[in-house]
Amino acid sequence: MEYEILEKCAEIPAYAAAAIKVRHIEAGFVGEAAEISEKEVMAVLERVGKGIEAYLFLDPDGEESFLEVLSDGKWLALGCSYDFGQENYYSYNPDYADSREYTPLKSGGQSPIEKRLALTDLEAGRKAVEYFFRTGKPYPGIQWAKQD
C-alpha cells in the first residue's frame, strides 16, 4: 500500500474546545448515549494511554466517517476514514519509516498494524483523539499517512 506522508503543523488551528462533533461511539466501556457528552469524551481520552479499542463516528448511525483508536498502553494506532472508505488517513511514526515490523495491535481485531502506522508518543495521540472529537478532522499536530 502506498501512502502520501502529511507533515505535522507547527501551529494547531484554533477550534471550539467544548464542541463535540462525534455522534456515535463504539467501545465496550461506553454505554449507548442518545447524545455524546463531555463524560463520554473524557472516558475515551482517559483510556488512550492505558489501552483502548474504540470507534468514534461522525455519523449518528455509526456507519460512516470515523476514527479508529487502538492502544495497548505502549503503541497507539489511529485511523480516520471518510467517504465510505474512499479517503483514509493513518497515524504515522517516522521513527519506523523503513520498518515492516508490526505492533501487537490489530485493526478490527484481525489486521496487524505496522509500527510505521502507530505512535509511541501517547500524549500526542491523546491530543489527536480529542481534536477529532472536537473537529471531526485529523489532528495537524502529528504526521499522517494518507492512503493513495
Side-chain angles (χ1 to χ4, degrees):
M1 197 173 296
E2 296 295 319
Y3 301 101
E4 172 190 355
I5 305 306
L6 306 177
E7 295 300 324
K8 66 181 177 179
C9 297
E11 283 191 41
I12 307 305
Y15 62 93
I20 301 175
K21 298 289 185 182
V22 170
R23 298 290 176 246
H24 180 84
I25 299 173
E26 288 184 12
F29 57 87
V30 176
E32 279 293 315
E35 195 170 309
I36 306 301
S37 71
E38 199 63 27
K39 176 183 172 188
E40 287 83 19
V41 172
M42 289 300 118
V44 170
L45 293 178
E46 287 172 5
R47 286 173 174 78
V48 168
K50 299 175 184 171
I52 186 173
E53 183 175 337
Y55 294 87
L56 313 176
F57 290 91
L58 302 178
D59 168 28
D61 296 322
E63 295 182 10
E64 213 277 300
S65 296
F66 64 89
L67 177 69
E68 179 183 35
V69 183
L70 302 171
S71 174
D72 63 1
K74 180 180 176 189
W75 294 96
L76 173 64
L78 303 173
C80 289
S81 180
Y82 301 97
D83 194 22
F84 294 96
Q86 298 302 304
E87 184 180 353
N88 299 297
Y89 302 85
Y90 305 97
S91 52
Y92 182 72
N93 189 335
D95 294 341
Y96 293 91
D98 297 323
S99 173
R100 295 301 177 256
E101 294 177 74
Y102 292 98
T103 69
L105 305 174
K106 299 209 183 306
S107 177
Q110 61 187 12
S111 300
I113 295 174
E114 293 178 55
K115 288 182 177 181
R116 68 181 173 151
L117 299 179
L119 306 173
T120 52
D121 182 346
L122 300 180
E123 180 57 25
R126 190 197 65 70
K127 289 177 182 177
V129 174
E130 181 171 17
Y131 189 86
F132 186 85
F133 261 112
R134 309 295 182 198
T135 68
K137 298 176 184 175
Y139 178 58
I142 65 169
Q143 288 182 287
W144 293 91
K146 182 179 181 189
Q147 186 177 346
D148 287 339

